[in-house]
Amino acid sequence: MSRKFVTVSSLSALALAASLGAAAAQPLSVVELFTSQGCSSCPPANANLIRVKDQPGVLALSFNVTYWDYLGWKDIFGKQEFTRRQVSYEPALGHDGPFTPQVVVNGHADVVGAAPGEIEKLISVSGRTSGPALSLDGGKISIGAGAAPGGHADVWLVRYAKGIVEVPVSRGENTGRTLPHANVVHALEKLGGWTGAAATYPLPAASGGLSTAVLVQSPGGGPILAAATD
């Protein structure tokens, strides 16, 4: 009887572990806010991103762009690669050029994001990524087999500061305001490609207390196929 009890307990433990693993691997809704500390229209969108950042199944990221720096305040988080990322989205989204604020969900739908409920509505309509299995574990990135539209996708490494940071602005359109930001991205790097076959990449250790996300995405600002975060 004791052997039977051990066997049942072991099977229950394995089932629990499997269920926990499955939960950890659930697809995400990737919410990217393109914002700037030099943009007077951006603070409401920043606040709306803060409201959704802790929702289950949501990966919220703030990308600070650079094209408003000339207005008198240089965004302290702004980087040219973040601006280029936003620009790459615009043709498929039907825009002539970038603007702020702009929220892009799963790489294929967008909204200004400044009005209450806009981001939540777009998440609801867009759903979650539905591409290959993706996990970050043991110092490596594992991508399962699946369909790569057009035969190729890009693998992006994102380093971001999880949580909220407040930035006092002393010049430009937001002079005198302290602006909150959620999950600010500090680095973006393309690691390589994915062709549909199962693949692994080494996962460099993060520094400075930053969190890590990995995106598998159709090239040229296309849809995000899969996402995972640590």
Side-chain angles (χ1 to χ4, degrees), residues 37 43 46-47 50 53 62 64 73 75-77 161-170 174 176-184 186:
Q37 294 156 10
N46 289 8
I50 289 171
K53 73 177 182 65
S62 291
N64 286 48
W73 176 260
D75 193 302
I76 65 170
F77 301 129
K162 188 177 293 184
I164 300 172
V165 61
E166 296 192 350
V167 178
V169 177
S170 59
N174 289 310
R177 303 183 68 175
T178 296
L179 306 182
H181 299 64
N183 295 358
V184 174
H186 287 261

Side-chain angles (χ1 to χ4, degrees), residues 73-197:
W73 176 260
K74 182 177 173 60
D75 193 302
I76 65 170
F77 301 129
K79 291 190 176 182
Q80 290 291 340
E81 53 264 41
F82 304 160
T83 300
R84 288 193 293 269
R85 180 170 179 81
Q86 184 187 18
V87 168
S88 73
Y89 276 135
E90 305 308 348
L93 293 173
H95 303 302
D96 294 332
F99 59 94
T100 56
Q102 182 183 26
V103 173
V104 180
V105 174
N106 295 337
H108 64 74
D110 79 309
V111 71
V112 172
E118 271 191 308
I119 299 177
E120 290 90 336
K121 186 178 296 184
L122 189 60
I123 292 171
S124 175
V125 170
S126 300
R128 299 185 181 182
T129 56
S130 57
L134 176 63
S135 64
L136 316 180
D137 188 48
K140 68 178 181 179
I141 302 163
S142 299
I143 309 173
H152 180 77
D154 296 326
V155 180
W156 292 97
L157 177 66
V158 182
R159 304 290 198 190
Y160 67 102
K162 188 177 293 184
I164 300 172
V165 61
E166 296 192 350
V167 178
V169 177
S170 59
R171 295 187 303 278
E173 290 191 350
N174 289 310
T175 298
R177 303 183 68 175
T178 296
L179 306 182
H181 299 64
N183 295 358
V184 174
V185 175
H186 287 261
L188 177 68
E189 177 186 359
K190 187 164 76 172
L191 296 180
W194 177 72
T195 60

Side-chain angles (χ1 to χ4, degrees), residues 15-77:
L16 177 60
S19 67
L20 289 174
Q26 287 296 313
L28 297 173
S29 295
V30 183
V31 181
E32 302 175 65
L33 168 63
F34 295 94
T35 185
S36 171
Q37 294 156 10
C39 160
S40 61
S41 301
C42 286
N46 289 8
N48 288 337
L49 192 75
I50 289 171
R51 293 188 181 96
V52 305
K53 73 177 182 65
D54 294 324
Q55 287 187 6
V58 170
L59 172 59
L61 300 169
S62 291
F63 287 91
N64 286 48
V65 297
T66 57
Y67 46 83
W68 298 126
D69 288 355
Y70 78 94
L71 294 177
W73 176 260
K74 182 177 173 60
D75 193 302
I76 65 170
F77 301 129

